[in-house]
Amino acid sequence: MLEENFNEMCWSLNELQANYILLKAFSEQKENLRAEFNEKQLEYCKKILSDSAEQHTENYYDNFLLIIENLK
C-alpha cells in the first residue's frame, strides 16, 4: 500500500514538473500567442494548466497524508 502511495506521489511530482514547464513557457510566450489566439482561448489554456496543477498537488498531498498515517 505504501509503495502504491509513494508511486502516486512520484507521478504527481512528474506531472507538476510538466505543468510548471508549460505554465512558464505559456507565460513567456503569451504575447507571441496573442497573434494566433484570442484572449478567451488563452485564458482557457491557462485555466486548464492551473486546474491540472491543483489536481496533482492535491493528489500528492493526499498520498503523503496516507503514508504518514500508515507509519504511525
Side-chain angles (χ1 to χ4, degrees):
M1 179 72 176
L2 292 177
E3 185 175 333
E4 184 179 314
N5 293 123
F6 182 75
N7 289 339
E8 281 284 320
M9 287 174 64
C10 290
W11 177 75
S12 289
L13 282 176
N14 287 331
E15 292 299 315
L16 285 168
Q17 179 184 17
N19 272 281
Y20 173 77
I21 292 168
L22 287 170
L23 278 168
K24 186 173 180 184
F26 176 80
S27 297
E28 292 173 357
Q29 296 298 317
K30 192 171 182 180
E31 291 305 316
N32 296 336
L33 293 170
R34 285 185 200 280
E36 297 181 39
F37 302 97
N38 65 41
E39 194 63 36
K40 187 175 181 180
Q41 291 170 316
L42 292 174
E43 288 302 315
Y44 182 67
C45 179
K46 184 177 179 180
K47 179 165 176 29
I48 289 174
L49 290 171
S50 296
D51 288 351
S52 179
E54 183 178 338
Q55 179 184 12
H56 293 300
T57 300
E58 288 174 5
N59 185 48
Y60 178 88
Y61 183 69
D62 290 344
N63 280 286
F64 178 75
L65 290 178
L66 287 170
I67 290 172
I68 296 299
E69 285 297 315
N70 284 314
L71 293 177
K72 290 182 180 178

